[in-house]
Amino acid sequence: MFNRRLYLVISEDACKGRDLVSVATAAVKGGVDVIQLREKHLDNPAFLERALRLKEALVPFRVPLVINDNLWVAQQCCATGIHVGNSDLPPLDIRAQWPSCGILGYSIEYEKQLCTADAAAADYLALSPVFATATKTDTVTEWKLEGIRKIRAMTDKPLVAIGAIHEGNAAGVIRAGADCLAIVSAICAAPDPEKAAAAIRLQIEKAL
């Protein structure tokens, strides 16, 4: 069962020149309890090398590593799981090719996806994006708080909210029905990732 609260989506680009593993470990110390490595522009060997380095750093913290949209890398580094969108390898195919997958996440970009077998096969559903963000340029639906409330009423699946979420709006997103917040810039680009993560985690706990 997916029961995480603060989800870091990290890439080297998002870290603004800082070491990715250092940013990730600082964020974990601040309260991040699951990390997704998202490297859309790396070839498989480079992606795998980065995944292995990050996974090793997370072992002492017992924080699971999820790989974005690369089944080969996820399997090769023995990641806990994988996250896919509606233009990636579908969750049903992931289940068939990787039966031991521990966490399978699926991005929901429009309402009718919710009623598909692929959504049913996922461990959590990510509403993407909740608010428009420069890190996602192919937005189908900007869910906003009303969208979270609507989807919450339609499913018992854990909901992960992503898209321009930060300390100032985190509590409202949780109160609208999200179970977990996925953060990119508000932690990765923060001057102090540990402090930024702790501030968001505090808002989550207050809203529960």
Side-chain angles (χ1 to χ4, degrees), residues 61-81:
F61 301 102
R62 298 185 179 180
V63 168
L65 175 64
V66 174
I67 299 296
N68 180 271
D69 181 32
N70 192 312
L71 181 57
W72 182 84
V73 168
Q75 291 176 309
Q76 290 298 311
C77 77
C78 298
T80 302

Side-chain angles (χ1 to χ4, degrees), residues 13-30:
D13 287 349
C15 293
K16 306 297 184 185
R18 293 177 296 183
D19 177 64
L20 177 145
V21 171
S22 297
V23 172
T25 53
V28 168
K29 291 174 183 176

Side-chain angles (χ1 to χ4, degrees), residues 94-189:
I94 299 284
R95 291 290 187 201
Q97 296 181 44
W98 191 18
S100 62
C101 177
I103 296 174
L104 175 50
Y106 186 45
S107 289
I108 297 293
E109 298 184 355
Y110 46 92
E111 190 178 319
K112 68 180 182 180
Q113 270 183 277
L114 193 64
C115 303
T116 63
D118 283 312
D123 293 306
Y124 70 82
L125 303 175
L127 297 182
S128 172
V130 172
F131 306 114
T133 170
T135 60
K136 184 172 178 58
T137 57
D138 56 347
T139 297
V140 176
T141 303
E142 184 182 349
W143 290 100
K144 300 185 179 179
L145 298 183
E146 309 86 74
I148 298 174
R149 294 187 191 101
K150 184 173 185 180
I151 298 300
R152 175 75 289 159
M154 297 171 67
T155 182
D156 293 328
K157 291 269 187 185
L159 296 180
V160 176
I162 185 169
I165 297 171
H166 49 74
E167 180 186 359
N169 60 21
V173 175
I174 291 291
R175 291 190 188 106
D179 298 288
C180 177
L181 303 184
I183 311 292
V184 186
S185 301
I187 293 176
C188 291

